């Protein structure tokens, strides 16, 4: 006969830490069995005991916006450059940054079958990831058969989110096409994510700046000023209203776009919003560095004038932002990436995007929680839970609850770290945050009960990470608001 003690022996117990979810904080042990959280309580016993005294035990981070292993092509954000990270290096870097799930993109190029594009990304990720992953779909060619067959079928197979672009020559959709995708997504149960920048204005301003010989990376911001993001944000919200379909505005960069979202929410429109570390920690000054080094901080929308950072922080603090993602878009500062056309070329030809999978959570923890701007529970919501909820992973992921996957990051809140590119695990040769001193770091990362990272050491294996299906309820138009 088994004793009560042996019945309660867990595979792993995280002992003595402060457990925090998006709503609660408690001093308790976490018992893990078969990759799931099996108990929360006192004095739990496990075959493996992990001491978390003086540590925070948090849901693993979910980086819900990152780009990995996207093939080269012209007319995209990449401008034909090579992405430095694939699912191996990207997921490794994410894990070292306290993440247990990532949601990169599967991109459909014009003329391509969406189903074939998604199958290709599943191949790229297969057996290479250290942590779990899903895919947002990017639709650049919503032909009738894509809308009637391919998109609903892929959503039904666990891809519950779809990004559309209002800019980039090869990706942008017309307003009418965006309405079609919104309508399809609502019926099939997917959230529409939108990149809101006005293509025509960017193209007109870029031509003008180039004619004036204004080619340096710092002119990237002049080519896509806040007004063109504000206009596109307003238009995107209008399209969402017209289609009566929920929408999430990704990578919101500053005040004027934030004001549009606040106004929409005040009208009762269900608009979700994401921002990223670059809009809290970088500014136009970072685009204006000698030796073309401003290119390292070129992303779209661009980092803004510093005053915008205050507005983005305000949105982080007061709940305007639901999601905090890295928008990791990895290009090396060498001829494979940012310098593909050399260091004298127009900003137009420089790959857009910056790395950030490993630094996203620690930056927010240090500058958000340790400064008192947000509390620990809000941090958990932004770092993990809200992405799980909005993108159809909750309650399997994004929380610490009995029955959830044991996806956990144990943080040392007192650990002082100076960020350098040498300590990071991505395949990019720089970080925009080089030399920044922060406080707090995820020291142990556990994915479905397996320790992936412990005290700077990799214990996990490529292939442990699985594709996770994500589902959201399909909605009739009547359920709008
Ligand atoms: O500059 C950026 N953000 N590059 C990645 C592509 C995108 O639009 O998110
Ligand atoms: Zn985008
Ligand atoms: Zn992106």
């Amino acid at each position: 006969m088994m004793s009560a003690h042996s019945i309660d022996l867990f595979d792993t117990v995280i002992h003595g830490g402060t457990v925090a979810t998006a709503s609660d904080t408690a001093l308790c042990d976490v018992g893990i069995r078969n990759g799931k959280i099996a108990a929360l309580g006192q004095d739990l016993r496990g075959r493996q005991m992990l001491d978390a005294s003086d540590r925070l035990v948090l849901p693993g981070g979910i980086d819900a916006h990152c780009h990995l292993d996207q093939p080269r092509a012209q007319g995209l954000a990449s401008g034909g450059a090579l992405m430095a990270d694939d699912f191996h290096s990207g997921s490794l870097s994410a894990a070292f940054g306290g993440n247990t799930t990532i949601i990169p993109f599967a991109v459909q190029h014009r003329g391509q079958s969406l189903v074939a594009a998604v199958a290709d990304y599943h191949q790229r990720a297969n057996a290479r990831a250290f942590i779990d992953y899903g895919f947002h779909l990017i639709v650049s060619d919503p032909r009738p058969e894509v809308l009637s067959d391919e998109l609903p079928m892929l959503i039904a197979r666990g891809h519950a989110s779809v990004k559309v672009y209002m800019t980039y020559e090869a990706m942008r959709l017309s307003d009418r096409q965006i309405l079609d995708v919104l309508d399809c997504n609502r019926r099939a149960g997917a959230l529409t994510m939108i990149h809101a920048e006005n293509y025509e204005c960017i193209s007109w301003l870029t031509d003008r700046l180039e004619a004036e010989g204004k080619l340096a990376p710092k002119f990237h911001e002049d080519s896509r000023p806040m007004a063109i993001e504000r206009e596109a944000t307003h238009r995107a919200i209008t399209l969402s209203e017209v289609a009566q379909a929920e929408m999430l505005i990704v990578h919101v960069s500053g005040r004027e776009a934030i004001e549009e979202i606040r106004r929409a929410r005040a009208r009762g429109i269900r608009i979700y919003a994401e921002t990223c570390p670059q809009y809290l920690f970088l500014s136009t000054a970072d685009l204006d560095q000698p030796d073309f080094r401003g290119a390292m901080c070129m992303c779209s929308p661009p980092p803004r004038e510093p005053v915008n950072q205050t507005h983005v922080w305000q949105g982080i603090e007061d709940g305007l932002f639901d999601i905090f993602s890295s928008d990791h878009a990895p290009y090396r500062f060498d001829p494979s990436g940012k310098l593909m056309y050399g260091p004298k070329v127009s900003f137009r030809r420089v790959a857009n995007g910056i790395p950030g999978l490993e630094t996203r959570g620690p930056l927010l923890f240090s500058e958000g929680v340790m400064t008192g701007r947000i509390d620990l529970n809000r941090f958990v919501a932004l770092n993990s839970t809200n992405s799980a909820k909005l993108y159809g992973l909750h309650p399997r992921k994004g929380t610490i609850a009995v029955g959830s996957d044991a996806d956990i990051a144990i943080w040392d809140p007192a650990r002082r770290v100076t960020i350098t590119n040498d300590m990071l695990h991505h395949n990019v040769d720089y970080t925009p945050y080089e030399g920044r001193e922060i406080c707090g770091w995820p020291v142990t990362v556990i994915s479905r009960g397996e320790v992936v990272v412990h005290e700077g050491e990799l214990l996990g294996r490529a292939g442990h990470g699985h594709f996770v299906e994500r589902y959201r309820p399909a909605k009739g138009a009547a359920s709008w608001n």
Side-chain angles (χ1 to χ4, degrees), residues 15-18 27 51-56 410-414:
H15 169 69
T18 300
L27 197 62
D51 180 17
S53 317
D54 301 322
R55 305 255 152 114
L56 302 172
I410 304 175
W411 288 65
D412 179 353

Side-chain angles (χ1 to χ4, degrees), residues 4-41:
H5 185 260
S6 63
I7 288 171
D8 286 343
L9 191 67
F10 297 96
D11 298 337
T12 300
V13 166
I14 303 170
H15 169 69
T18 300
V19 176
T21 66
S23 56
D24 301 300
T25 307
L27 197 62
C28 70
D29 297 349
V30 181
I32 298 170
R33 189 178 284 136
N34 297 330
K36 301 260 182 206
I37 296 168
L40 301 173

Side-chain angles (χ1 to χ4, degrees), residues 65 67 105 163 251 327:
H65 184 158
H67 302 264
F105 293 87
K163 185 178 177 187
H251 44 49
D327 194 7

